[in-house]
Amino acid sequence: MKKKIKEITSVFSQDNPKIKKQIDKVKEKGHQRMTILVIPHGYDSSFHFQISHFTILFFLGLTLGLLSLAIFGIVRSNNTQTEINQLSKIYGTYFDTYITHANQLEEMKEEYSKLNENMLELFTLIDGQDDELLKIPTEDWIESSAIDSLQKEEKEDKQLDVGRKYLNEIYELRQLKHRMDNYQRLVETNFQFLYQRSDILSRSPLFNPMYSYNLTSPFGMRKSPTTGYWEYHDGLDMANATGTPIYASAPGRVVRVTYSNVGYGHHVIIQHDFGFSTLYGHCSRIYVRSGQEVKAGEQIAEVGATGNVTGPHLHYEIFISEEGKTDPEQYMQAGVY
């Protein structure tokens, strides 16, 4: 193998007479000179100079190299400009989005401040205890806690350059989130109160048992229309035509469907939550039975003139287990529909 390499090297070596002869021939042609005659226009004198073939080739190669570099620079510049334009467009889009989100953040902060004020006011209206408010951290603590958590995340963020930090809006958003989290207890307290009150109202006899009526006798002392003597009237007399629908004023369970010849005639008693019961008297027809569960607003009977009456009407009573009978008009005027 070494012998073959030596033979090949000797063939292409400059010591080889044939190779040396070819190199001398090339050098001879390269050193040949050309005479260039320059005759300026309008001048009698002229001048000339000589240049070798090697020099011509050198300048020709140099010109081609510079031209190639120029073409490459132009193409590269165009590509770079295209990338710059694309990046500028993307940056513009992100910047517009950033401005939009920054404005939205300011609106969120303002809206939450108003909401928080309303929550605090509502808390005082529902007899909230100061001890509950003392459990809510101060604004300085919330801000400090948000900043500390973000700075810790910045140190652990490998995509963030050393010494760089998040945008100010991120700090503001984190502070807003901390405020919402810490004021959640206040929201839950208010919600629990409102939910309980709403539940109580929805199961209390606050709905009118008839859509339209003429109040002929209120609750309290009155002169009896049948005997003419003064008596205590323990309900409301709501007059309307026979057959007018009567509705349950609250959800509950029917505990009595009966008839009294000298009193309420055909009447229904419904037991509700929280110690309430309602009575619907002098009915012409009854659509429910004892033990049946009814919903608020469900039709239970029709107006009639049964029992001790002078005309068709509904005798409506509300009584509470511990307080006894109460004025139904106070509940009917509560404004809950």
Side-chain angles (χ1 to χ4, degrees):
M1 184 68 182
K2 292 182 179 180
K3 185 177 180 181
K4 289 184 177 180
I5 294 175
K6 188 175 181 181
E7 290 177 356
I8 294 173
T9 303
S10 62
V11 170
F12 292 97
S13 173
Q14 292 184 2
D15 295 335
N16 190 322
K18 293 182 179 180
I19 297 298
K20 186 176 181 180
K21 185 178 181 180
Q22 293 294 329
I23 291 175
D24 292 340
K25 187 182 293 185
V26 171
K27 287 182 178 180
E28 183 180 354
K29 289 184 178 182
H31 287 296
Q32 289 180 358
R33 297 178 176 272
M34 295 180 60
T35 301
I36 299 177
L37 180 64
V38 180
I39 303 176
H41 181 71
Y43 293 90
D44 294 337
S45 61
S46 62
F47 63 92
H48 65 277
F49 60 92
Q50 293 182 349
I51 187 171
S52 66
H53 290 170
F54 281 151
T55 304
I56 294 174
L57 290 175
F58 170 76
F59 281 109
L60 182 61
L62 180 62
T63 302
L64 290 176
L66 293 175
L67 183 61
S68 299
L69 288 175
I71 294 174
F72 175 77
I74 292 172
V75 173
R76 186 64 180 271
S77 176
N78 290 336
N79 293 337
T80 303
Q81 187 62 42
T82 301
E83 292 179 0
I84 291 174
N85 293 337
Q86 292 176 350
L87 292 174
S88 177
K89 185 177 180 180
I90 294 173
Y91 171 78
T93 302
Y94 281 126
F95 184 76
D96 292 340
T97 305
Y98 162 75
I99 295 296
T100 301
H101 290 331
N103 294 333
Q104 291 176 348
L105 176 60
E106 291 299 323
E107 294 176 0
M108 286 173 59
K109 290 167 60 180
E110 184 177 353
E111 290 296 327
Y112 180 74
S113 296
K114 293 179 181 178
L115 176 62
N116 192 46
E117 292 177 2
N118 293 336
M119 284 292 176
L120 290 172
E121 183 178 359
L122 177 60
F123 184 77
T124 58
L125 292 175
I126 62 177
D127 297 328
Q129 299 297 321
D130 292 340
D131 292 342
E132 291 292 331
L133 285 177
L134 291 176
K135 295 179 182 178
I136 300 176
T138 63
E139 290 294 327
D140 292 339
W141 185 91
I142 292 174
E143 180 179 354
S144 176
S145 176
I147 292 176
D148 290 343
S149 64
L150 271 177
Q151 289 178 345
K152 182 179 180 181
E153 291 179 16
E154 288 173 348
K155 292 179 181 179
E156 297 175 353
D157 193 345
K158 297 181 180 180
Q159 296 182 349
L160 199 65
D161 294 336
V162 178
R164 301 297 297 273
K165 58 179 293 185
Y166 295 145
L167 296 173
N168 290 333
E169 285 73 15
I170 296 180
Y171 278 81
E172 294 178 6
L173 184 62
R174 183 61 63 86
Q175 292 174 25
L176 181 60
K177 181 180 181 300
H178 272 58
R179 288 183 65 192
M180 291 181 174
D181 291 340
N182 285 281
Y183 275 78
Q184 183 67 26
R185 187 180 299 107
L186 176 63
V187 176
E188 291 174 352
T189 301
N190 289 339
F191 175 79
Q192 184 178 7
F193 171 83
L194 295 175
Y195 180 81
Q196 290 176 348
R197 295 305 182 271
S198 175
D199 184 56
I200 292 173
L201 292 175
S202 66
R203 292 189 283 169
S204 300
L206 301 177
F207 298 88
N208 291 357
M210 290 200 302
Y211 291 146
S212 62
Y213 57 90
N214 181 26
L215 184 60
T216 56
S217 184
F219 178 84
M221 293 301 297
R222 70 163 186 178
K223 185 177 287 188
S224 174
T226 56
T227 65
Y229 296 107
W230 284 94
E231 65 178 2
Y232 186 80
H233 189 232
D234 48 13
L236 296 180
D237 285 346
M238 308 165 66
N240 208 324
T242 299
T244 301
I246 300 173
Y247 306 97
S249 57
R253 182 173 61 89
V254 178
V255 295
R256 181 180 298 178
V257 177
T258 187
Y259 176 80
S260 174
N261 191 31
V262 295
Y264 299 128
H266 290 292
H267 61 282
V268 179
I269 297 179
I270 301 177
Q271 189 177 61
H272 311 284
D273 291 332
F274 313 113
F276 287 105
S277 294
T278 52
L279 180 146
Y280 310 80
H282 308 306
C283 304
S284 60
R285 296 184 62 184
I286 295 176
Y287 296 102
V288 293
R289 64 185 182 277
S290 182
Q292 180 178 339
E293 298 288 338
V294 295
K295 299 177 181 178
E298 181 178 346
Q299 184 177 355
I300 59 174
E302 292 180 358
V303 172
T306 60
N308 186 16
V309 295
T310 58
H313 71 279
L314 166 66
H315 176 81
Y316 177 57
E317 294 181 5
I318 296 178
F319 44 96
I320 308 174
S321 58
E322 297 180 356
E323 300 179 12
K325 296 182 180 181
T326 185
D327 187 358
E329 199 167 4
Q330 295 179 354
Y331 292 85
M332 294 166 59
Q333 294 178 354
V336 179
Y337 301 97

